[in-house]
């Protein structure tokens, strides 16, 4: 092993304790190792890229490894999904959960969860899909793991009945076939069975019955075909939908009674079509059934969306009080009784309305100029929007007197397909006596709606429009955030509506539309922004004016805005005596000329000047002193205002980085007291003056008071150097909040806070180990990748006993309904003989003699629960380091042991690092759940022996050099095993 290789070991996530086992000849190997020790090992510290794995807890039906290492987590709809992302790496990686959908239509979801545990209560089918846990800490590539969540469900099945009546053959034979179709949505695919009364129907059991699945339905539909109906075919039929009890989902049944009166629905509407009403009236639609067996259900729908909120439904009667134009549309009554096709009848509701009255004047088209002159033709047009259009009528008046169509005054109505709701008055050979006020009045025949009256004045002063921009109104200059008015001046009579748009036709107006109307030629823009800079076009429309070629004009808008600068804020940490340079850069500004800058420290002016050709200004402090610490502001100024860069120059230290990957940070030396090995590195220790001490604060979670003390630091901290402080006298099992603050001659730096929790300790040199599976990491137990299914973490309070009440524990081993344990779920799809294997962490035995072999004995005990008539077996194995192919049997139990927790104690004599394996084997039925809890390993022999020690001894040959690496010391032991 090279020094670089040893460094790699030291920097691994297990750097708190590393055990390297090297097989080599003595002599040169020992000399090499001693050389390493004498020279010292120089490594970059404990920084490491992230690693990640996903563990599950909660209410999984099953979790399995598919090919290509795809993990599939199966859960029942409505249960709680809980996935935990366990990470290693330093600094502590940031964790992000994301999801891709189970179907292409669902797309990728942007919502993310930044937490170790992803918890979804009452999970629904659309929430199935692939979930990704991504961990990154800025070192190397992000670590990503995924798991596919499969949500199982079974909806209530629906039976529909269809009839097929063939043509009469030879006048004597009349065939009548009935199809009963059963449909249910499910995951996994549903299986169907049919019953007639209590008789189970199978394909081939009755010549008059066929059972099949249409190819195109892919197993989602089952059809029962009754050929040439017979008297015995009139009966009660039941369709049973089943997903074979996976996830304890029960079968669902739907029944249908087939008789000689069975018929598809028919309905009629007791209303006219269409229905024309005035706004404010109440409307009632009545739908009645005229046939159908079973009795159909009635439902009202609207073609353009949901029914109005104020709708009142009572059976087949729909009432809309105080109707408005928004309530208009097509309403349909649908009757369904699952026989044949649903019946549907529709009617349209039309709400009378008159709006948007407009006019335009068209000069004589046979003359080039647009003026109205005596002897020429002129046409006046009026237009309204009317509902219903067929009720629209127009009346014309001159100076208040009715006007009838004549040879010289021709009144026409435009084709509705060309210009709906439009009437025209053509005045042929205009005379002086024709000058006056012409009025067109639009009304609806049904009444109830106010008429729209439009006045048009024809006189010698009626002239076409002209459009100009007043002097000094272009270009218009405004500052960002102001309110500005763009103006086009209109002359002529009558004055038409002005349409405003951007000269660049692809750019929208400030309100997002492509055009904006103005009746006075003014465009008012509130809260002007820099994006609104540009050229605007004002243009006459034909409405309320002359129907001639549009007049237009252009107005330029210039928006001034203060300089945009970078950085807006930057923190600079530097120690005393060093230099600091600050740079403030202009990104954009208008106007760009005459840019000034000012540098200030607090309120003190340090420097000011004017930009030449460069786009930045720079300030340097050559030798940093205490009075130079503070906030520096650089203001860059133009006519519109100023932009500011801020720099906080400080000498305070960066926060420490807690080290979370300490192997066994927790140990227990008293019954109710535990200790914790707190480890950390210092972020960027060279950025400021050296760290003199740390202020350590600790308080019990939920309490207000902090207990504080200082940890002195001798020497200079190096980047990546792992520091340790043991927290003692912590009350079990309370969690604590720890705050660590670096101190240098500047003062206190940034603090870091973390939570430490009590969990069963796992010691490098095994003295004592306890695990009750209460923590999310289940004491670092792992699932065996080679088995068929997994052990599941569970508590009695969340366990569903509706479908398997006669198996499994009702509490944990300590009698608590809220405590956790591990168990194997034997419900479907589990099969007889399938195995689930749970692996303990690797334990390293304590050395009695650093130069000899260990003969340490341990007392291994655990609680087990084996209740149910289908209990299989529970086996315990010992796996020694380097012997993964030969697991040593320790203990075994089979069959029902009663509804109680039992404890067993075993003496074990491992000769090297070891693991314990818990193997649960499924029995021949679903009532076979096996549970384990409160696992304990303690140095020394058991005071109670439930079963003789069956651990065989182990032997080997060769020479092993064991290197034990600790944060504080390092020593050698040479073990020689002779065959």
């Amino acid at each position: 092993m090279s020094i670089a290789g040893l460094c790699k070991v030291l920097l691994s996530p297990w750097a708190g304790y590393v055990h390297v086992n090297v097989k080599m000849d003595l002599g040169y190997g020992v000399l090499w190792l001693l050389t390493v020790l004498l020279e010292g090992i120089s490594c970059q510290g404990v920084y490491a890229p992230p690693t990640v794995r996903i563990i599950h807890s909660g209410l999984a039906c099953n979790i399995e490894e598919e090919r290509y290492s795809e993990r599939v987590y199966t859960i029942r709809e409505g249960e709680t999904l809980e996935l935990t992302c366990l990470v290693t790496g330093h600094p502590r990686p940031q964790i992000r959960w994301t999801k891709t959908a189970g179907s292409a239509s669902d797309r990728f979801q942007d919502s993310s969860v930044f937490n170790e545990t992803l918890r979804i209560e009452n999970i629904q089918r659309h929430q199935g899909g692939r979930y990704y846990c991504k961990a990154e800490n800025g070192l190397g590539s992000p670590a990503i793991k995924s798991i596919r969540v499969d949500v199982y469900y079974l909806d209530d099945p629906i039976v529909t009945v269809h009839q097929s009546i063939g043509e009469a053959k030879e006048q004597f034979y009349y065939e009548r076939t009935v199809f009963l179709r059963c449909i249910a949505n499910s995951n996994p695919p549903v299986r169907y069975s049919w019953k007639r009364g209590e008789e189970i129907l199978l394909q081939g059991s009755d010549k008059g019955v066929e059972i099949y699945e249409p190819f195109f339905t892919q197993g989602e539909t089952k059809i029962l075909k009754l050929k040439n109906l017979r008297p015995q075919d009139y009966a009660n039929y039941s369709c049973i939908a089943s997903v074979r009890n996976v996830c304890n989902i029960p079968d669902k049944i739907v029944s249908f009674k087939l008789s000689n009166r069975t018929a598809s629905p028919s309905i009629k509407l007791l209303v006219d079509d269409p229905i024309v009403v005035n706004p404010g009236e109440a409307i009632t639609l009545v739908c009645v059934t005229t046939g159908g067996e079973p009795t159909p259900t009635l439902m009202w729908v609207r073609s353009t969306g949901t029914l109005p909120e104020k709708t009142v439904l009572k059976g087949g009667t729909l009432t809309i009080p105080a109707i408005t134009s928004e309530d208009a549309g097509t309403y349909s009554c649908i009757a369904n009784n699952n026989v044949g096709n649903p019946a549907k009848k529709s009617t349209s509701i039309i709400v009378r309305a008159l709006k948007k009255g407009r006019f335009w004047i068209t000069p004589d088209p046979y003359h080039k100029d647009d003026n109205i002159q005596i002897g020429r033709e002129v046409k006046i047009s009026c237009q309204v929007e009317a509902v219903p259009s067929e009720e629209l009528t127009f009346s014309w008046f001159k100076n208040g007197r009715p006007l009838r169509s004549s040879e010289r005054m021709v009144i026409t109505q435009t084709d509705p397909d060309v210009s709906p709701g439009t009437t025209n008055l053509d005045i042929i050979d205009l005379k002086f006596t024709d000058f006056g006020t012409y009025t067109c009045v639009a009304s609806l025949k049904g009444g109830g709606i106010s008429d729209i009256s439009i006045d048009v004045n024809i006189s010698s002063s009626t002239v076409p429009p002209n459009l100009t921009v007043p002097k000094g109104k272009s270009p218009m200059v405004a500052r960002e955030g102001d309110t500005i008015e763009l103006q086009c001046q209109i002359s002529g009579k009558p004055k038409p509506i002005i349409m405003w748009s951007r000269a660049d036709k692809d750019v929208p107006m400030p309100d997002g539309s492509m055009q904006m109307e103005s009746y006075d030629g003014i465009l008012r823009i509130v809260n002007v922004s820099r994006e609104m800079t540009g050229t605007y076009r004002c243009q006459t429309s034909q409405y309320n004016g002359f129907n001639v070629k549009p007049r237009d004009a252009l107005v330029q808008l210039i928006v001034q805005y203060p300089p945009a600068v970078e950085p807006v804020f930057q923190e600079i940490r530097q120690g005393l005596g060093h230099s600091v340079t600050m740079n403030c850069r202009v990104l954009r500004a208008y106007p760009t000329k005459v840019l000034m800058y000012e540098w200030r420290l607090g309120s003190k002016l340090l420097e000011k000047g004017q930009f030449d050709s460069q786009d930045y200004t720079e300030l340097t402090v050559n030798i940093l002193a205490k009075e130079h610490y503070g906030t520096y502001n650089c203001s860059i100024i133009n006519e519109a205002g100023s932009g500011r860069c801020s720099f906080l120059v400080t000498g305070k230290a960066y926060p420490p980085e807690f080290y979370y990957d300490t192997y066994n940070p927790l140990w227990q030396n008293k019954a109710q007291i535990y200790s914790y090995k707190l480890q950390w590195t210092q972020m960027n220790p060279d950025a400021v003056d050296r760290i003199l001490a740390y202020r350590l604060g600790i308080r019990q979670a939920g309490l207000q008071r902090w207990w504080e003390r200082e940890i002195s630091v001798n020497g200079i901290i190096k980047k990546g150097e792992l520091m340790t402080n043991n927290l003692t006298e912590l009350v079990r099992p309370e969690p604590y909040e720890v705050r660590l603050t670096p101190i240098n001659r500047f003062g206190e730096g940034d603090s870091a806070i973390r939570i430490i929790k009590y969990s069963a300790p796992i010691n490098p040199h095994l003295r004592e180990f306890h695990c009750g599976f209460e923590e999310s990491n289940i004491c670092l137990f792992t699932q065996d990748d080679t088995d068929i299914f997994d052990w599941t973490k569970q508590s009695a309070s969340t366990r569903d006993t509706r479908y398997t009440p006669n198996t499994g524990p009702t509490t944990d081993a300590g009698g608590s309904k809220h405590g956790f344990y591990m168990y194997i779920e034997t419900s479907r799809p589990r099969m007889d003989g399938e195995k689930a294997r749970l692996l303990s962490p690797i334990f390293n035995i304590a050395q009695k003699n650093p130069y000899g072999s260990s003969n340490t004995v341990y007392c291994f005990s655990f609680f087990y629960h084996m209740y149910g008539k289908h209990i299989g077996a529970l086996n315990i194995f010992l796996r020694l380091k380097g012997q993964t192919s030969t697991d040593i049997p320790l203990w075994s139990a089979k069959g029902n042991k009663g509804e109680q927790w039992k404890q067993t104690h075993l003496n074990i004599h491992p000769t090297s690092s070891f693991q314990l394996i818990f193997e649960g084997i499924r029995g021949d039925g679903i009532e076979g759940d096996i549970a384990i809890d409160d696992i304990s390993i303690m140095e020394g022999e058991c005071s109670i022996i439930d079963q003789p020690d069956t651990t065989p001894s182990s032997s080997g040959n060769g020479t092993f050099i064991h290197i034990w690496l600790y944060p504080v010391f390092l020593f050698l032991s040479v073990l020689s095993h002779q065959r």
Side-chain angles (χ1 to χ4, degrees):
M1 176 180 287
S2 65
I3 294 178
L6 190 55
C7 284
K8 185 176 181 181
V9 172
L10 281 168
L11 300 184
S12 74
W14 305 97
Y17 156 70
V18 181
H19 177 198
V20 183
N21 195 355
V22 185
K23 186 173 183 179
M24 55 168 52
D25 292 333
L26 290 174
Y28 289 111
V30 175
L31 291 175
W32 170 86
L33 184 59
L34 291 173
T35 302
V36 172
L37 295 174
L38 292 173
E39 291 179 354
I41 301 173
S42 176
C43 302
Q44 286 297 311
V46 293
Y47 289 110
T51 68
V52 63
R53 66 188 179 98
I54 297 173
I55 65 170
H56 66 90
S57 58
L59 299 173
C61 305
N62 181 41
I63 184 164
E64 57 185 332
E65 308 287 340
E66 293 185 355
R67 60 181 181 272
Y68 310 117
S69 299
E70 181 182 41
R71 304 184 71 203
V72 181
Y73 181 101
T74 303
I75 190 169
R76 180 175 173 175
E77 188 172 50
E79 302 289 9
T80 297
L81 171 71
E82 190 171 300
L83 302 174
T84 300
C85 198
L86 296 183
V87 298
T88 66
H90 187 71
R92 181 69 166 171
Q94 295 290 319
I95 298 173
R96 180 186 184 190
W97 282 97
T98 54
K99 173 185 176 286
T100 52
S103 61
S105 61
D106 209 2
R107 299 289 180 180
F108 188 85
Q109 298 189 355
D110 292 331
S111 57
S112 300
V113 176
F114 293 89
N115 198 0
E116 290 183 5
T117 299
L118 173 70
R119 181 179 173 87
I120 303 176
E121 296 183 356
N122 190 28
I123 191 168
Q124 299 299 302
R125 62 195 65 178
H126 70 272
Q127 293 173 304
R130 180 167 296 283
Y131 287 83
Y132 292 86
C133 174
K134 179 180 180 181
E136 53 186 337
N137 65 355
L139 299 178
S141 300
I144 301 175
K145 290 290 184 182
S146 68
I147 187 169
R148 183 162 62 86
V149 175
D150 204 358
V151 181
Y152 278 7
Y153 59 90
L154 174 61
D155 291 344
D156 293 328
I158 298 173
V159 168
T160 58
V161 181
H162 306 271
Q163 289 185 341
S164 174
I165 302 176
E167 297 292 335
K169 298 178 181 179
E170 298 180 358
Q171 298 181 349
F172 301 104
Y173 181 70
Y174 194 76
E175 182 184 11
R176 192 176 183 207
T177 300
V178 172
F179 299 89
L180 275 69
R181 184 171 183 164
C182 189
I183 304 173
N185 295 320
S186 74
N187 183 33
V190 68
R191 290 183 182 176
Y192 300 94
S193 56
W194 285 96
K195 292 173 68 176
R196 180 167 53 196
E198 296 301 320
E199 174 194 3
I200 297 176
L201 296 176
L202 300 173
Q203 181 66 26
S205 62
D206 186 332
K207 292 183 179 180
V209 176
E210 286 186 13
I211 303 174
Y212 62 93
E213 295 177 357
F215 174 75
F216 59 86
T217 64
Q218 298 179 356
E220 296 176 358
T221 302
K222 193 81 168 184
I223 291 181
L224 180 69
K225 181 180 180 182
L226 306 176
K227 299 180 292 183
N228 198 15
L229 279 180
R230 304 162 299 177
Q232 63 264 36
D233 293 330
Y234 294 119
N236 279 323
Y237 290 86
S238 298
C239 171
I240 300 99
S242 174
V243 288
R244 301 161 296 288
N245 202 39
V246 296
C247 288
N248 293 323
I249 298 176
D251 297 346
K252 295 193 176 182
I253 302 175
V254 62
S255 298
F256 186 88
K257 183 178 180 180
L258 182 66
S259 70
N260 57 4
R261 294 188 301 275
T262 300
S264 57
S266 59
I267 56 173
K268 69 176 181 179
L269 296 182
L270 304 182
V271 292
D272 297 330
D273 183 30
I275 304 170
V276 181
V277 295
N278 292 324
E281 294 181 356
I283 185 71
T284 298
L285 308 180
V286 179
C287 176
V288 296
T289 58
T290 57
E293 177 67 28
T295 303
T297 58
L298 299 177
M299 176 179 65
W300 281 97
V301 296
R302 185 182 179 192
S303 61
T304 56
T306 58
L307 296 173
E309 290 185 4
K310 58 190 173 184
T311 302
V312 179
L313 290 171
K314 187 175 181 181
T317 302
L318 178 147
T319 301
I320 305 175
I323 200 165
T324 64
S325 297
E326 289 73 23
D327 302 328
T330 301
Y331 290 75
S332 301
C333 176
I334 300 174
N336 189 14
N337 66 350
N338 292 340
V339 178
N341 295 319
K344 180 178 179 181
K345 296 286 186 179
S346 302
T347 185
S348 296
I349 297 178
I350 299 173
V351 182
R352 292 188 178 93
L354 274 178
K355 54 186 178 180
K356 288 191 177 179
R358 292 177 171 179
F359 75 91
W360 59 90
I361 301 170
T362 305
D364 193 332
Y366 298 104
H367 294 81
K368 291 184 178 181
D369 66 274
D370 297 331
N371 294 313
I372 296 175
Q373 295 185 15
I374 300 295
R376 294 184 182 179
E377 178 183 341
V378 63
K379 181 166 71 173
I380 306 171
S381 300
C382 287
Q383 185 182 70
V384 295
E385 291 183 9
V387 178
S389 58
E390 56 269 19
E391 288 190 4
L392 176 63
T393 61
F394 284 104
S395 302
W396 281 93
F397 297 85
K398 177 184 177 184
N399 298 328
R401 294 182 179 181
L403 193 64
R404 300 183 182 278
S405 184
S406 63
E407 289 184 359
R408 217 169 53 80
M409 297 278 189
V410 181
I411 299 174
T412 59
Q413 196 150 330
T414 305
D415 186 344
D417 294 333
V418 177
S419 181
T422 305
T423 181
N424 305 297
L425 172 62
D426 271 305
I427 303 175
I428 311 299
D429 188 15
L430 181 68
K431 301 182 181 300
F432 179 79
T433 56
D434 295 329
F435 289 163
T437 299
Y438 291 84
T439 305
C440 73
V441 178
S443 59
L444 294 178
K445 295 177 183 177
I449 301 296
S450 300
D451 297 343
I452 290 180
S453 180
I454 303 170
D455 293 333
V456 183
N457 185 264
I458 300 295
S459 68
S460 58
S461 61
T462 303
V463 293
N466 191 26
L467 203 59
T468 58
V469 177
K471 186 176 181 181
K473 295 297 183 179
S474 182
M476 294 291 290
V477 178
R479 292 186 179 180
E480 200 166 39
D482 289 350
T483 296
I484 188 72
E485 290 185 349
L486 307 185
Q487 184 177 350
C488 282
Q489 187 170 324
I490 317 166
S491 60
K493 186 178 180 182
K495 293 182 178 180
I497 297 172
I498 302 300
M499 306 301 295
W500 283 93
S501 62
R502 297 291 288 263
D504 182 348
K505 295 182 180 180
D506 295 330
V507 179
M509 294 292 286
D511 67 350
S513 65
M514 299 309 294
Q515 278 190 332
M516 295 175 66
E517 287 186 355
S518 170
Y519 288 85
D520 57 3
I522 294 176
L523 175 64
R524 182 181 176 88
I525 304 175
V526 179
N527 194 20
V528 173
S529 65
R530 64 194 67 180
E531 293 79 13
M532 297 175 188
T533 295
T535 303
Y536 291 76
R537 172 180 282 108
C538 59
Q539 180 175 292
T540 60
S541 72
Q542 72 178 51
Y543 298 117
N544 297 359
F546 273 68
N547 182 20
V548 294
K549 182 179 178 181
R551 276 63 165 165
D552 62 4
L554 299 177
V555 179
Q556 186 179 7
L557 174 62
I558 298 172
V559 180
Q560 294 182 344
Y561 54 90
V565 298
E566 69 172 6
V568 176
F569 176 81
Q570 182 180 350
E571 184 183 64
I572 301 175
R573 303 200 186 203
Q574 188 59 272
L576 294 170
H578 296 271
S579 66
V580 171
T581 298
M582 293 159 278
N583 183 296
C584 186
R585 183 176 299 276
V586 180
L587 299 177
R588 52 193 171 275
Y590 194 87
T592 57
K593 296 181 179 179
V594 198
L595 286 174
M596 307 290 294
Y597 67 84
E598 291 181 352
W599 283 96
R600 294 179 181 269
L601 174 58
S603 59
K604 180 182 179 181
L605 179 64
L606 303 177
E607 184 181 321
K608 68 177 182 179
Q610 183 173 329
F611 282 90
D612 294 326
S613 58
Q614 77 276 17
D615 61 355
Y616 68 92
T617 175
E618 196 171 79
L619 179 69
T620 299
V621 180
N622 293 315
I623 301 175
L624 200 60
K626 282 188 176 182
E627 60 270 19
H628 295 143
Y629 287 127
T631 301
Y632 291 78
N633 291 316
C634 174
S635 298
I636 298 180
I637 308 160
N638 68 358
E639 293 179 19
S642 65
R644 186 169 68 180
C645 299
S646 290
F647 302 88
L648 175 60
V649 179
T650 178
K652 72 177 182 177
Y654 284 96
E657 304 162 315
F658 284 115
Y659 187 67
Y660 287 83
D661 297 339
T662 306
Y663 187 75
N664 179 49
L666 183 150
W667 71 94
Q668 187 174 332
N669 46 21
K670 296 180 183 179
Q672 298 300 324
I673 301 296
Y674 71 98
S675 300
Y676 199 92
K677 181 186 292 184
L678 186 70
Q679 294 188 294
W680 71 93
T681 59
Q682 177 60 43
M683 181 189 294
N684 301 331
D686 301 329
V688 294
D689 295 325
R690 80 174 188 88
I691 308 298
L692 303 174
Y694 286 93
R695 176 167 289 114
L696 173 67
I698 184 168
R699 68 179 177 184
Q700 191 172 313
L703 300 183
Q704 297 296 321
R705 184 177 180 183
W706 287 90
W707 294 92
E708 293 188 332
R709 65 183 177 87
E710 281 196 3
I711 304 170
S712 60
V713 175
N714 296 321
I716 298 175
I717 299 174
K718 295 181 179 179
K719 185 175 179 62
E721 180 179 346
L722 190 63
M723 288 162 281
T724 299
N725 184 267
N726 292 328
L727 307 177
T728 59
E729 301 301 314
L730 305 178
V731 179
R732 173 185 175 187
E734 299 297 334
Y736 287 83
E737 190 174 2
V738 177
R739 181 177 63 199
L740 198 60
T741 307
I743 302 172
N744 62 6
R745 59 177 174 167
F746 176 85
E748 291 191 355
D750 291 335
S751 299
I753 296 178
R754 67 163 294 185
I755 302 295
I756 60 173
K757 296 181 179 180
Y758 174 82
S759 61
I762 303 171
N763 297 303
H765 280 169
L766 179 62
R767 306 292 186 195
E768 180 182 344
F769 169 80
H770 300 282
C771 179
F773 301 110
E774 300 301 323
E775 301 298 327
S776 61
N777 65 357
I778 57 174
C779 311
L780 298 183
F781 275 74
T782 56
Q783 309 282 355
D784 191 340
D785 292 339
T786 64
D787 58 8
I788 302 299
F789 67 111
D790 284 351
W791 288 78
T792 302
K793 180 181 175 182
Q794 183 65 283
S795 72
S797 63
T798 58
R799 180 169 173 262
D800 191 341
T801 59
R802 288 176 293 177
Y803 306 112
T804 53
N806 299 317
T807 187
T810 57
T811 67
D812 69 355
S816 171
K817 287 187 176 294
H818 299 284
F820 288 90
Y821 51 85
M822 299 296 289
Y823 87 113
I824 61 168
E825 171 60 64
T826 57
S827 299
R828 296 183 180 89
R830 301 278 65 84
M831 303 296 291
D832 187 8
E834 290 185 344
K835 298 178 181 180
R837 289 163 64 91
L838 188 67
L839 309 181
S840 77
I842 297 175
F843 300 112
N844 298 283
I845 62 176
Q847 298 285 351
K848 295 296 186 183
N849 180 353
Y851 300 101
S853 61
S854 169
N855 56 1
T856 304
V857 61
Y858 294 99
C859 177
F860 162 49
S861 67
F862 64 95
F863 283 85
Y864 62 96
H865 194 284
M866 300 174 68
Y867 168 57
K869 63 183 179 180
H870 302 133
I871 290 290
L874 174 62
N875 300 321
I876 312 298
F877 297 93
L878 178 70
R879 176 181 292 176
L880 296 177
K881 183 175 182 180
Q883 300 181 18
T884 57
S885 61
T886 55
D887 296 334
I888 304 167
L890 286 181
W891 181 90
S892 180
K894 297 180 180 180
N896 188 353
K897 304 298 181 186
E899 192 175 0
Q900 60 185 329
W901 284 97
K902 294 188 175 184
Q903 188 178 21
T904 191
H905 299 76
L906 300 170
N907 283 331
I908 58 175
H909 299 78
T911 57
S912 64
S913 301
F914 67 94
Q915 276 181 295
L916 293 168
I917 301 171
F918 293 80
E919 179 183 79
I921 302 178
R922 201 255 197 192
D924 58 359
I926 63 174
E927 294 182 7
D929 295 353
I930 299 174
I932 58 173
D933 199 6
D934 288 355
I935 297 167
S936 176
I937 305 171
M938 298 184 68
E939 187 177 3
E941 293 189 354
C942 298
S943 58
I944 303 173
I945 299 295
D946 299 313
Q947 182 170 325
D949 181 21
T950 59
T951 308
S953 61
S954 148
S955 63
N957 56 20
T959 300
F960 292 82
I961 296 179
H962 294 267
I963 305 173
W964 301 89
L965 299 178
Y966 290 89
V968 180
F969 63 89
L970 181 150
F971 64 86
L972 297 175
S973 69
V974 180
L975 298 178
S976 178
H977 298 276
Q978 301 297 331
R979 185 175 298 274

